[in-house]
């Protein structure tokens, strides 16, 4: 593993996270460019079968231990630190989620190296690793020469398409044993978010409402449009904060990152914290009464109009078109 590129594979309750596949896709590119192997490191309990699914990597090193059953950062970091200290890879790519964010910072501390956060991309230039990082919620981008060995590079969601990192092939797997001391940190209870049965990340069409929707009652107008398009309703933070939609529907920095085929932003100004969570959508349509709203800078199609007035006729027009195509 010495000199190789590693990816910290993140599993949560028996499922590999989407961002792990994104990290594997990027890791593959970097490893190929350097001409070194790509290794995935997986920690958990009863994770052997999951290790076999990480086919984008040449090999998977996994640590199976009952103390790693829950995502306690101190324990996962202790396990990974032992693997890294022994195997000495060139870099470790870490998917940046609330599970592994804590792990990467502890790893950096344990190994005495720096962790580079919010990496959008990693390139090889003259044999050196260069990370492109976003700062201040995406307002600034910086190129950082990745320091230390291993360089710990924490990846922003969406660095590569997850599908590129899903490879249907069994990698070589190796179980390693580590010494772990129980942590005083205990997971007492896992509180499932109130989703209303909708997973925003799996929708092809999202109709997102912002403060411009004016009132809780008007959310029904967005729901009608979402129904006509076969999609779901999401919201900006003020809409969630006012309790008009559940937390699991929030798109953005402190919400969910989405990439639907179609994202319709209704009365959303386009603050960087919102854009961060939806900018990679296939087609972005914005309706806003202010022609200078920043959302129009990233929208593919824009309508300057009052959403509350426009929505009923827009929904009716889409329904009419659907009915016509059914009868055609
Ligand atoms: C640390 C941090 C994290 C954050 N995380 C998130 C996050 O995850 N998600 C998020 O969304 N925000 C987040 N925010 C908040 C973010 O900065 C913005 O305040 C928020 O996105 C604004 O929401 P909005 O566009 O709905 O409201 P506003 O900015 O108030 O915009 C309302 C828009 O509606 C338009 N409008 C008004 N009336 C009408 C009408 N009748 N018809 C059409 N258009 C109309 C206005 O022209 C305006 O452009 C975060 C902020 C911080 C500091």
């Amino acid at each position: 593993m010495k000199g190789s590129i590693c990816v910290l594979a993140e599993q949560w309750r028996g499922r590999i996270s989407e961002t792990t596949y994104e990290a594997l896709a990027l890791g593959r590119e970097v490893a190929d460019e350097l001409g070194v192997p790509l290794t995935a490191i997986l920690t958990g309990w009863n994770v052997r079968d999951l290790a076999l699914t990480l086919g984008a990597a040449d090999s998977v090193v996994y640590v199976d231990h009952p103390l790693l059953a829950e995502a306690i950062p101190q324990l996962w970091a202790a396990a990974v630190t032992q693997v890294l200290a022994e195997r000495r890879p060139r870099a470790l790519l870490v998917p940046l989620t609330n599970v592994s964010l804590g792990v990467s910072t502890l790893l950096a501390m344990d190994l005495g190296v720096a962790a580079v956060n919010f990496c959008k991309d990693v390139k090889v230039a003259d044999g050196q690793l260069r990370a492109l990082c976003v700062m201040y919620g995406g307002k600034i981008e910086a190129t950082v020469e990745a320091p230390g060995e291993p360089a710990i590079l924490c990846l922003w969601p969406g660095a590569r398409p997850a599908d590129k990192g899903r490879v249907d092939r069994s990698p070589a797997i190796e179980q390693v044993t580590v010494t772990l001391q129980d942590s005083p940190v205990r997971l007492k209870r896992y509180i499932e978010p109130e989703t209303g049965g909708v997973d925003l990340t799996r929708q092809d069409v999202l109709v997102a409402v912002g403060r411009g929707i004016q009132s809780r009652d008007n959310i029904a107008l967005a729901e009608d449009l979402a129904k006509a398009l076969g999609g779901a309703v999401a919201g900006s933070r003020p809409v969630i904060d006012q309790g008009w939609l559940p937390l699991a529907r929030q798109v953005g920095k402190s919400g969910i990152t989405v990439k639907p085929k179609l994202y319709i932003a209704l009365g959303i100004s386009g603050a960087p914290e919102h854009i961060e969570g939806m900018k990679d959508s296939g087609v972005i349509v914005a309706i806003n009464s202010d022609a200078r709203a920043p959302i129009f800078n990233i929208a593919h199609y824009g309508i300057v109009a009052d959403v509350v007035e426009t929505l009923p006729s827009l929904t009716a027009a889409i329904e009419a078109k659907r009915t016509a195509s059914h009868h055609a």
Side-chain angles (χ1 to χ4, degrees):
M1 202 199 267
K2 189 167 184 325
S4 70
I5 297 296
C6 285
V7 166
L8 184 63
E10 183 192 272
Q11 58 86 21
W12 178 241
R13 309 206 148 193
R15 255 186 70 187
I16 299 288
S17 68
E18 284 294 289
T19 44
T20 294
Y21 295 110
E22 298 173 6
L24 284 168
L26 176 56
R28 181 79 268 161
E29 286 175 26
V30 176
D32 288 352
E33 181 78 25
L34 290 168
V36 298
L38 176 67
T39 306
I41 302 176
L42 178 67
T43 56
W45 179 226
N46 295 325
V47 289
R48 184 180 182 277
D49 287 350
L50 282 180
L52 287 166
T53 67
L54 301 170
D58 298 303
S59 61
V60 181
V61 168
Y62 71 99
V63 187
D64 226 6
H65 197 293
L67 284 177
L68 301 173
E70 295 292 352
I72 308 283
Q74 286 81 354
L75 291 169
W76 281 16
V80 178
T81 300
Q82 289 173 54
V83 175
L84 294 177
E86 188 201 323
R87 313 263 171 146
R88 319 264 313 273
R90 172 85 181 266
L92 176 73
L93 308 187
V94 182
L96 201 53
T97 68
N98 53 357
V99 175
S100 39
L101 180 64
V103 179
S104 57
T105 40
L106 289 170
L107 276 179
M109 211 169 67
D110 287 351
L111 295 165
V113 293
V116 184
N117 260 334
F118 306 123
C119 302
K120 236 170 89 168
D121 207 352
V122 179
K123 296 264 184 244
V124 181
D126 303 326
Q128 299 299 314
L129 296 179
R130 299 236 164 89
L132 179 67
C133 310
V134 290
M135 298 163 77
Y136 302 108
K139 286 186 184 133
I140 295 178
E141 289 187 350
T143 304
V144 177
E145 203 141 297
E149 200 150 315
I152 297 187
L153 306 170
C154 308
L155 302 182
W156 187 254
R160 289 293 180 276
D163 281 347
K164 267 185 84 182
R166 252 189 279 270
V167 177
D168 193 14
R169 150 183 93 110
S170 292
I173 63 168
E174 180 193 352
Q175 181 175 9
V176 295
T177 45
V178 296
T179 315
L180 292 177
Q181 276 176 357
D182 201 357
S183 158
V185 178
R186 286 272 180 282
L187 187 84
K188 279 196 156 175
R189 191 160 63 100
Y190 179 61
I191 305 168
E192 293 284 351
E194 167 60 58
T195 62
V198 173
D199 179 353
L200 291 192
T201 61
R202 292 179 185 268
Q203 303 293 322
D204 282 343
V205 177
L206 282 178
V207 175
V209 289
R211 213 192 313 249
I213 197 76
Q214 312 285 337
S215 74
R216 180 197 288 265
D217 289 347
N218 288 338
I219 304 268
L221 299 173
E223 274 163 359
D224 291 344
L225 177 62
K227 200 168 152 215
L229 291 167
V233 174
S236 67
R237 182 155 142 184
V239 168
I240 308 312
D241 286 350
Q242 289 178 89
W244 296 351
L245 285 173
L247 183 61
R249 302 290 184 105
Q250 181 176 322
V251 170
K253 187 186 193 73
S254 44
I256 292 171
T257 300
V258 295
K259 278 182 259 175
K261 288 185 181 149
L262 174 62
Y263 190 90
I264 305 183
L266 305 171
I268 293 179
S269 59
E273 294 82 5
H274 184 81
I275 300 222
E276 200 174 304
M278 46 64 75
K279 63 180 183 332
D280 295 324
S281 303
V283 173
I284 300 170
V285 177
I287 307 182
N288 197 302
S289 52
D290 177 3
R292 288 165 307 161
I295 191 78
F296 289 128
N297 296 337
I298 60 148
H300 300 98
Y301 300 94
I303 304 169
V304 179
D306 184 310
V307 271
V308 183
E309 280 172 16
T310 313
L311 273 174
S313 49
L314 182 61
T315 304
I318 288 165
E319 272 170 352
K321 207 159 176 69
R322 261 200 4 197
T323 316
S325 66
H326 272 302
H327 292 305

